[in-house]
Amino acid sequence: MRTLKYAILGLIKQSPMTGYDITNEFNKELIHFWNAKHSQIYPELKKLVTEGLITYKTEISGEVLEKKVYSITEKGTKEFQEWLMTDDKIEPTAKDRFRLKMYFSTITDKETLLRLLNSQTRQHFEKLSSLRERFNQYEGVPDFSDSRFGDYIVLEGAVMREENYLEWLQKCLDYL
Amino acid sequence: MRTLKYAILGLIKQSPMTGYDITNEFNKELIHFWNAKHSQIYPELKKLVTEGLITYKTEISGEVLEKKVYSITEKGTKEFQEWLMTDDKIEPTAKDRFRLKMYFSTITDKETLLRLLNSQTRQHFEKLSSLRERFNQYEGVPDFSDSRFGDYIVLEGAVMREENYLEWLQKCLDYL
DNA sequence: TTTACCATGTAAGACGTTACATGATTAT
DNA sequence: ATAATCATGTAACGTCTTACATGGTAAA
């Protein structure tokens, strides 16, 4: 599938950046639907260079610190757009360790279950709060021509997903 | 994390079964929150035997076909219950290739986007239908003492998750 | 001066998928 | 007969995480 490849191509297409920048994008902007560690990103960047999908030029920060600023090539742009336009089958599973535990819930006692459900609720509520904070910085929906449109809709999707998870947790609590 | 280990322990704890049965459980019962291929399950079963968490006895189907029926040991039960009672931090990401594509949506045109969103909607609607069909076979919420309680709540969670995803897709369509 | 951040890489191992490989049993 | 299902394994490859490894820059 090589989704990381396309995630990187998409980020570099938005604007040229370093491996370090890409790592930050994953940890800050894309964290709610994709992520990767720098140990995965640097080798992938090398691979994309040998495949001719990106190029880089070395810049100097301060006196000696070298950084590689990557740009997408025409070939890279073409492959990225082909990927973007491809209609995928929905993924079969979204693994969720907590749901797995709940499947086995009758093997334990109500007190334990309440403790786990309350903890999950707290954590998801915190996550929802920080998502809402970011989401509320938007004043209305950006137009499709606005480059922030994508960020807006996935952020709204993340908020909705958290709200829904909390609803489910509450339902489980009500059943006990 | 070794979640597969605990998923297998939990299944075998419910009732002794073969590697083939476990594979089917993953593909049929647990598919909406966990899965694994037989090529991953058989080696894990061997590992669990050497760790003393499960044992097996060989049975014969028909004339010659051997099958290994696995049971959980006391040690296995203990480790499983410890895992089940452990309060986890929520997972940082649920990777979603389609959300990633939507993040980059402004790089393509509205027609393409509508095509992708409509396709996702169709597929998620089908998935939701089959989930509802299974869910509706329950007449009311099983009691916590009922072994089907876990299945019921995760099934309801899966239905809610699909409904929520469809709501988000509809919102995206409305924005275009 | 020291802390936070910038910047890039490799190694080892865990986890997961696809393909290879084989053969028996049951239902139509 | 023959197709679907039962039943168990290994090999190769791809993906992902944790740890190892190094050093520069900027702000307090």
Side-chain angles (χ1 to χ4, degrees), chain A residues 95-137:
Chain A
K95 292 192 177 180
D96 185 325
R97 197 165 58 246
F98 187 72
R99 290 185 204 253
L100 179 64
K101 284 196 179 182
M102 287 306 100
Y103 180 76
F104 293 124
S105 57
T106 49
I107 293 172
T108 189
D109 57 286
K110 277 196 189 185
E111 289 69 41
T112 301
L113 228 53
L114 287 169
R115 176 170 58 80
L116 298 183
L117 283 163
N118 282 322
S119 167
Q120 290 286 309
T121 300
R122 256 194 309 279
Q123 293 182 72
H124 280 283
F125 187 76
E126 268 174 46
K127 193 172 173 182
L128 175 58
S129 296
S130 75
L131 282 169
R132 275 194 179 139
E133 220 169 278
R134 258 185 70 194
F135 184 61
N136 288 334
Q137 281 167 13

Side-chain angles (χ1 to χ4, degrees), chain B residues 59-138:
Chain B
E59 288 185 4
I60 306 288
S61 293
E63 297 293 304
V64 287
L65 183 62
E66 292 192 347
K67 60 178 181 179
K68 295 178 180 172
V69 182
Y70 291 90
S71 311
I72 195 164
T73 63
E74 221 174 286
K75 191 180 168 195
T77 299
K78 209 180 145 226
E79 277 200 30
F80 174 72
Q81 265 159 348
E82 267 164 30
W83 170 79
L84 191 55
M85 293 172 74
T86 302
D87 179 27
D88 301 306
K89 272 191 193 142
I90 59 174
E91 279 141 292
T93 346
K95 290 192 178 180
D96 185 326
R97 199 166 54 247
F98 187 71
R99 290 185 204 253
L100 180 63
K101 285 195 179 184
M102 287 306 99
Y103 180 75
F104 293 123
S105 57
T106 47
I107 293 172
T108 189
D109 56 286
K110 277 196 189 185
E111 290 69 41
T112 302
L113 228 53
L114 286 169
R115 177 169 58 79
L116 297 182
L117 283 163
N118 282 322
S119 167
Q120 290 286 309
T121 300
R122 257 194 308 279
Q123 292 183 71
H124 279 283
F125 187 76
E126 268 174 47
K127 192 172 173 184
L128 175 58
S129 296
S130 77
L131 282 169
R132 275 194 180 139
E133 220 170 276
R134 259 185 69 194
F135 185 61
N136 288 334
Q137 281 167 14
Y138 280 102

Side-chain angles (χ1 to χ4, degrees), chain A residues 1 12 21-22 34 95 111 121 126 135 139 141 149-150:
Chain A
M1 213 71 69
I12 294 175
D21 296 330
I22 292 168
W34 207 266
K95 292 192 177 180
E111 289 69 41
T121 300
E126 268 174 46
F135 184 61
E139 290 165 13
V141 192
F149 178 77

